[in-house]
Amino acid sequence: MSDYSYPRKDAEFLINEVIGFDEWCESAGLEEVNSELASAILEEASRFGTEVIAPLNVVGDQQGATVDENGVQETPGFADAYQQYVENGWGALGFPEEYGGQGMPKVINTAVDEIWQSCNLSFSLCALLTHGAIEALMLHGSDELKSAYLPKLVSGEWSGTMNLTESQAGSDLAAITTRAVPNGDHYLLTGQKIYITWGDHQMAENVIHLVLARLPDAPAGSRGISLFLVPKFLLDEQGNPGKRNDVHCVSVEHKLGIHASPTCVMVFGDNGGAVGYLVGEPNRGLMAMFTMMNDARQSVGLQGLSVSTRSYQQALQYSKERLQGTRSDGSRFPIFEYPDVRRMLMTMKSVTEAMRGLAYISSAEIDLARHEQEPATQAQRNARVDLYTPIVKGWITEMSQEMTSLGIQVYGGMGYVEETGIAQFYRDARITTIYEGTTGIQGQDLVGRKFLSNKGEVLGHYLAEMQGTADELSGSEQLAELGAALSKALDSCRTVSEWLLAHAAEDRNVAGAASVNFMMMLGFVSGAWVLGRSALKAGQLLAAGQGDREFLQAKLITARFYSEHVLPRAEACRSAITAGSASMMALNEEQF
Ligand SMILES: Cc1cc2nc3c(=O)[nH]c(=O)nc-3n(C[C@H](O)[C@H](O)[C@H](O)COP(=O)(O)OP(=O)(O)OC[C@H]3O[C@@H](n4cnc5c(N)ncnc54)[C@H](O)[C@@H]3O)c2cc1C
């Protein structure tokens, strides 16, 4: 058993009251799905997570994955937990029934993923990569590849990986050199990939690699990259894992955190070529891989939330136990009573609730887009998901650095020593702003592809929707101050949008210089919007005498704290953005 407890009350309030799950399921025609079923799933996932997966978190940190002549050996205990995960059908939860999935909406899957990630980030990564591989195959794979590989990937009996990075090609994937040469009905791949998460292990019968490589006649740059499926074991006539393919893990990285997640150097084709099959069209691999990356980016955003939540829960508990003050009567009191410790705890509480709101609302939007029948509305919903993705990934993971650092700060010196376990969350969180596109890449994606490319139209719709919430808050006597603060922040967002649209074209450094602050600003404002929506709902339920009074009142106060103490950071972003790029780019190399 672990000390982690999934914040079900907050999650169910969000899903049922703020997102309106039941009405939505009904309108999407999902007759068998409702909040009762969702609640039962979350209860069972919490039980499985806390009893089976969470206890392996510390052992995984202390005894990370290793590699020997038989390949990667995962942390003891992981294989058994993974087996139970597969047998209980957890991997199949969100996938279509035609491939053996259970067809649950994405938002429920996201809530369940939060549980796995909070319990054990390293363990959860294996399924995360598998899910990305499934998404890419479902959208771009041939019928033959789908029927051969999807059912086993969906069940989790086989796991998936994502092989993009090479030593000279990280953020700049255009530089990849792994080669794929046609050879009858398949291709032979040669090359080396680095940093491949769960690139090898013994928990699943087969590991299915999705690999970016170049065909012999491919044009240079990102337009000459194709996507291939390369199984660890080639399938025999019956479709079962048979002969070993020419792909091997040659070493695993020693790293700051997520020690139990093997980060592998993979070599393809040391003995003549790894057999691979083309996924999608030649030279269009990067686009297909983006399907996988977008899914994974939302999941990595969720990781930021999950690790922050775990850190918050542990810090809260410690703050109530650690006696470090003496009253005039000589009795001692816990650090929980100090305003500055409350500042840290309230920051962690309000920001994690804002993160959860944003991540779940974004997942619900994916569901809405999938089930939308009307093409124009579906396109708008997809554009909103695209806008959310870099904010979910970038803002949440950046904030998770601060949240897990605050967790250590609450512990004082005991936070800095490893035995309390709080430092692991800080170390584990550190990767989240790096993989699946660094924060810089998320900022660039947001400004370039999601904002400038449509001249701010998609963001304009989002700001208008948030303004609707601000107006509603302003109309409520109890919440008017929250409405005023959100309106002011939205005015700043509009100022910044206009400024960027006007200046980005005249100076090519402007967008790059502004990008991360722009992403963070939209994150802070989105957080206030989410908590504002929650406060409106909490106010309505309290007025009607419904729901858990203590919980709902805490929601109102948490939204107020965020509005007063966190949202003002959006203004700092505005100032930095509109200051432009001049001082950032002015020094020459020698002046540094
Ligand atoms: C633990 C771990 C697991 C990983 N798992 C996988 C995996 O499963 N599969 C896989 O393929 N890869 C994986 N990666 C690789 C990861 O995605 C890359 O490390 C990441 O994309 C950054 O690439 P890079 O390390 O080469 O950094 P670089 O690209 O060299 O970036 C260095 C710095 O420059 C900045 N920068 C670079 N280009 C730009 C730009 N255009 N605009 C603004 N700033 C820029 C970056 O933001 C960063 O701050 C993993 C990495 C790690 C450490």
Side-chain angles (χ1 to χ4, degrees):
M1 239 357 202
S2 81
D3 51 8
Y4 168 69
S5 132
Y6 176 56
R8 251 179 82 194
K9 234 181 227 175
D10 191 50
E12 290 188 4
F13 171 77
L14 197 57
I15 294 170
N16 299 336
E17 304 295 345
V18 180
I19 294 174
F21 189 64
D22 279 336
E23 297 98 272
W24 173 75
C25 285
E26 223 177 289
S27 68
L30 296 169
E31 281 139 21
E32 285 147 31
V33 186
N34 55 38
S35 53
E36 240 171 82
L37 177 65
S39 182
I41 292 173
L42 294 180
E43 186 176 345
E44 192 46 32
S46 305
R47 194 197 57 71
F48 180 65
T50 47
E51 287 178 12
V52 180
I53 301 178
L56 295 168
N57 198 38
V58 172
V59 66
D61 191 47
Q62 292 169 351
Q63 295 180 52
T66 53
V67 66
D68 62 22
E69 63 283 3
N70 298 315
V72 172
Q73 307 301 323
E74 63 280 340
T75 297
F78 269 46
D80 180 47
Y82 187 79
Q83 189 64 32
Q84 292 184 52
Y85 171 89
V86 172
E87 280 167 9
N88 292 340
W90 288 116
L93 200 66
F95 294 108
E97 287 163 44
E98 63 176 305
Y99 301 117
Q102 296 168 40
M104 280 296 130
K106 172 87 181 161
V107 67
I108 300 303
N109 216 26
T110 296
V112 169
D113 282 348
E114 182 190 334
I115 297 172
W116 313 145
Q117 294 175 355
S118 287
C119 287
N120 191 328
L121 190 57
S122 288
F123 181 89
S124 72
L125 272 159
C126 186
L128 183 153
L129 272 306
T130 306
H131 290 178
I134 295 169
E135 295 283 349
L137 267 183
M138 281 196 309
L139 273 170
H140 305 286
S142 65
D143 289 344
E144 214 180 335
L145 285 180
K146 283 184 195 169
S147 66
Y149 291 93
L150 278 177
K152 296 281 190 184
L153 283 168
V154 166
S155 71
E157 287 162 271
W158 299 350
S159 71
T161 73
M162 185 158 124
N163 281 250
L164 287 71
T165 310
E166 298 175 9
S167 54
Q168 78 293 351
S171 301
D172 182 13
L173 289 170
I176 71 163
T177 57
T178 296
R179 276 171 59 82
V181 180
N183 186 37
D185 66 346
H186 58 263
Y187 294 80
L188 290 177
L189 278 81
T190 43
Q192 192 186 80
K193 297 284 179 181
I194 61 168
Y195 300 149
I196 305 309
T197 299
W198 284 100
D200 189 38
H201 57 94
Q202 314 302 321
M203 307 196 300
E205 285 169 6
N206 208 353
V207 182
I208 311 305
H209 305 287
L210 287 189
V211 187
L212 288 182
R214 286 184 185 285
L215 292 167
D217 57 352
S222 57
R223 292 208 170 83
I225 297 173
S226 305
L227 180 62
F228 298 87
L229 182 154
V230 181
K232 175 178 172 182
F233 293 103
L234 298 169
L235 304 190
D236 64 19
E237 302 268 294
Q238 285 73 43
N240 297 318
K243 196 175 150 228
R244 188 74 165 83
N245 200 1
D246 188 9
V247 48
H248 297 272
C249 167
V250 292
S251 66
V252 292
E253 304 294 349
H254 297 278
K255 51 198 195 301
L256 183 66
I258 54 167
H259 294 157
S261 167
T263 303
C264 304
V265 175
M266 303 296 300
V267 172
F268 295 80
D270 250 4
N271 298 302
V275 173
Y277 308 96
L278 185 68
V279 178
E281 291 179 34
N283 302 329
R284 305 288 306 270
L286 209 50
M287 199 201 75
M289 199 56 127
F290 262 111
T291 315
M292 201 165 162
M293 275 166 29
N294 279 334
D295 187 73
R297 282 176 178 181
Q298 295 253 355
S299 303
V300 174
L302 193 72
Q303 292 178 357
L305 157 69
S306 307
V307 185
S308 301
T309 300
R310 189 86 196 265
S311 179
Y312 164 63
Q313 288 187 356
Q314 214 160 299
L316 176 63
Q317 194 178 329
Y318 184 77
S319 73
K320 292 177 181 172
E321 290 162 3
R322 171 69 175 159
L323 301 178
Q324 205 56 208
T326 310
R327 293 193 184 88
S328 52
D329 66 1
S331 63
R332 303 203 76 203
F333 63 89
I335 58 170
F336 179 70
E337 293 182 23
Y338 288 115
D340 188 58
V341 174
R342 288 297 186 98
R343 171 189 65 79
M344 294 192 272
L345 293 171
M346 281 304 292
T347 303
M348 293 176 89
K349 178 171 168 57
S350 64
V351 171
T352 49
E353 289 181 19
M355 290 170 165
R356 182 170 299 109
L358 183 60
Y360 285 23
I361 285 174
S362 175
S363 292
E365 194 69 30
I366 295 175
D367 283 323
L368 290 168
R370 271 184 197 156
H371 292 277
E372 180 58 55
Q373 301 295 321
E374 214 274 306
T377 314
Q378 187 176 49
Q380 275 174 5
R381 291 205 177 282
N382 280 327
R384 175 65 68 82
V385 171
D386 288 348
L387 181 71
Y388 281 146
T389 301
I391 307 174
V392 167
K393 161 63 163 93
W395 181 71
I396 295 182
T397 62
E398 280 295 328
M399 292 306 286
S400 78
Q401 310 306 307
E402 183 182 331
M403 297 308 113
T404 53
S405 175
L406 282 176
I408 292 180
Q409 195 68 17
V410 170
Y411 270 74
M414 285 307 279
Y416 198 70
V417 296
E418 290 285 357
E419 72 189 64
T420 57
I422 196 86
Q424 188 191 345
F425 307 129
Y426 180 64
R427 288 186 288 99
D428 282 357
R430 194 62 194 86
I431 186 59
T432 62
T433 61
I434 298 173
Y435 58 18
E436 294 305 339
T438 60
T439 300
I441 295 298
Q442 303 307 316
Q444 208 175 55
D445 178 50
L446 178 68
V447 174
R449 288 198 201 94
K450 315 292 166 68
F451 174 71
L452 293 174
S453 70
N454 57 59
K455 299 194 171 51
E457 195 188 325
V458 176
L459 178 65
H461 290 307
Y462 183 38
L463 297 181
E465 188 178 335
M466 290 197 277
Q467 187 64 55
T469 302
D471 294 345
E472 231 184 296
L473 287 163
S474 299
S476 143
E477 207 180 310
Q478 197 184 12
L479 300 170
E481 284 171 28
L482 271 67
L486 182 54
S487 283
K488 183 171 168 240
L490 288 166
D491 277 345
S492 294
C493 288
R494 283 185 279 266
T495 304
V496 158
S497 311
E498 282 161 25
W499 187 90
L500 269 175
L501 287 168
H503 291 81
E506 42 189 71
D507 175 353
R508 70 186 183 89
N509 286 326
V510 160
S515 61
V516 168
N517 279 316
F518 187 50
M519 181 200 75
M520 293 303 285
M521 183 179 191
L522 290 176
F524 290 125
V525 176
S526 299
W529 170 61
V530 167
L531 293 184
R533 282 176 65 178
S534 299
L536 282 166
K537 199 71 210 180
Q540 285 162 13
L541 290 169
L542 280 168
Q546 293 170 359
D548 176 339
R549 221 178 148 67
E550 291 281 313
F551 170 79
L552 295 170
Q553 277 173 345
K555 268 280 159 205
L556 295 180
I557 293 166
T558 305
R560 179 170 300 276
F561 175 87
Y562 183 97
S563 178
E564 292 169 354
H565 295 270
V566 181
L567 182 59
R569 299 187 196 188
E571 275 310 300
C573 294
R574 181 190 63 83
S575 301
I577 294 167
T578 52
S581 63
S583 62
M584 205 176 282
M585 304 305 287
L587 297 186
N588 64 41
E589 233 174 290
E590 287 70 40
Q591 286 174 300
F592 272 90

